[in-house]
Amino acid sequence: MSDMASPVAVVTGASRGAGLGIATALAARGWRVYGTARSFAEAPNWGVGIAVDHRDDDAVARFFDRVGAETGRLDLLVNNAAAVSDHLVSPKPFWEKPRDLADVLSVGLRSSYIASWHAAPLLIQQDRGLIAFTSSPGSVCYMHGAAYGAQKAGVDKMAADMAVDFRGTGVATVSVWMGILLTEKLRSAFDGNPEALQAFAQQAETPEFTGYVIDALYRDPDLGELSGHTVIAAETAARYGLTDEDGRTPPSHRELLGEPRIPSSVVVR
């Protein structure tokens, strides 16, 4: 399939972690991928990586103008960029953590709104489109503190409300709860202890796994029925018959961490 015939995806925060895995998986599924990050150490092997500071609305606008000019279309936006502090996992109460943990409400929540605002006109030009938000059970349980929880709850709600505005356009919105991700950073914590990593991995999932789930969601002819909802990646993968590397089936942590909120059907204009 030629680049011009391929569906086009934008993945924000694509230089590492979940975003890198998602971009890699989408490219493997035939997508033409544009990814953003504050910087790229080297040219990515999954598509086009463009340095974008998601705190800068004008830079985001220029990025989507470029995507539109170069491709003439947009089929998928994955809102994944987030300002995650190294102090995130500290057990301290929020007022004893650095104030900049609140940055995730700017790059993470607000940035998802801005990216979606710029992507929407491109998406609705196609017969179908999808905005996927990466999220976690932190939206309903205490996880890493108030700022992180507010950001995750915020993107879940954003997916629900944007779905109302997109009705009749062919564009769907879904928020995806990822599980424990086997990122390079997490794997490095098990250096020298491969047995422990192997045991831990049975409860986790690769970053690429989320990308395969998002690809399957986009291709689902009944995607519209899920629009506005928050889904659990592991459960959605089971629905589509997807497995992770080595044929593993990552577990859902619903019983342990909580259930996604179901949006109300009430619309107040």
Side-chain angles (χ1 to χ4, degrees), residues 97-120:
K97 294 181 181 180
R99 186 176 59 189
D100 64 10
L101 262 70
D103 289 351
V104 76
L105 301 177
S106 177
V107 179
L109 184 57
R110 185 180 186 279
S111 62
S112 293
Y113 183 94
I114 298 301
S116 300
W117 189 90
H118 285 287

Side-chain angles (χ1 to χ4, degrees), residues 37-263:
R38 291 189 66 181
S39 64
F40 288 90
E42 56 187 29
N45 59 7
W46 41 254
V48 181
I50 300 174
V52 177
D53 185 344
H54 280 273
R55 296 172 298 183
D56 184 341
D57 293 352
D58 293 335
V60 175
R62 291 191 295 271
F63 167 74
F64 280 98
D65 285 345
R66 173 175 172 177
V67 172
E70 292 184 0
T71 70
R73 65 185 299 162
L74 180 63
D75 303 273
L76 169 65
L77 166 64
V78 181
N79 279 313
N80 172 73
V84 178
S85 168
D86 290 338
H87 297 276
L88 184 70
V89 297
S90 167
K92 295 179 180 179
F94 76 91
W95 63 90
E96 292 182 6
K97 294 181 181 180
R99 186 176 59 189
D100 64 10
L101 262 70
D103 289 351
V104 76
L105 301 177
S106 177
V107 179
L109 184 57
R110 185 180 186 279
S111 62
S112 293
Y113 183 94
I114 298 301
S116 300
W117 189 90
H118 285 287
L122 290 169
L123 288 164
I124 62 178
Q125 292 176 21
Q126 309 306 311
D127 292 333
R128 67 189 285 110
L130 174 63
I131 297 179
F133 300 82
T134 57
S135 188
S136 85
S139 70
V140 297
C141 73
Y142 183 96
M143 184 179 290
H144 307 323
Y148 179 87
Q151 189 263 329
K152 296 307 180 189
V155 297
D156 287 1
K157 185 63 164 66
M158 200 175 288
D161 289 356
M162 286 183 179
V164 175
D165 289 342
F166 276 124
R167 284 176 184 169
T169 68
V171 178
T173 60
V174 178
S175 192
V176 181
W177 280 9
M178 301 181 292
I180 303 167
L181 293 186
L182 289 168
T183 62
E184 288 303 312
K185 184 175 182 180
L186 190 148
R187 289 176 186 273
S188 68
F190 290 89
D191 283 351
N193 196 345
E195 293 82 7
L197 175 60
Q198 184 176 12
F200 183 85
Q202 300 307 308
Q203 301 300 315
E205 56 200 47
T206 67
E208 289 79 9
F209 180 71
T210 306
Y212 296 132
V213 168
I214 292 172
D215 171 74
L217 280 166
Y218 174 84
R219 300 180 192 280
D220 187 340
D222 297 320
L223 174 59
E225 297 177 8
L226 292 173
S227 188
H229 288 261
T230 297
V231 301
I232 297 173
E235 295 177 2
T236 305
R239 171 182 173 182
Y240 296 128
L242 298 174
T243 57
D244 207 337
E245 61 181 30
D246 300 327
R248 291 187 302 106
T249 302
S252 168
H253 301 290
R254 178 189 292 265
E255 291 188 7
L256 177 65
L257 299 177
E259 299 186 359
R261 293 188 179 95
I262 299 175

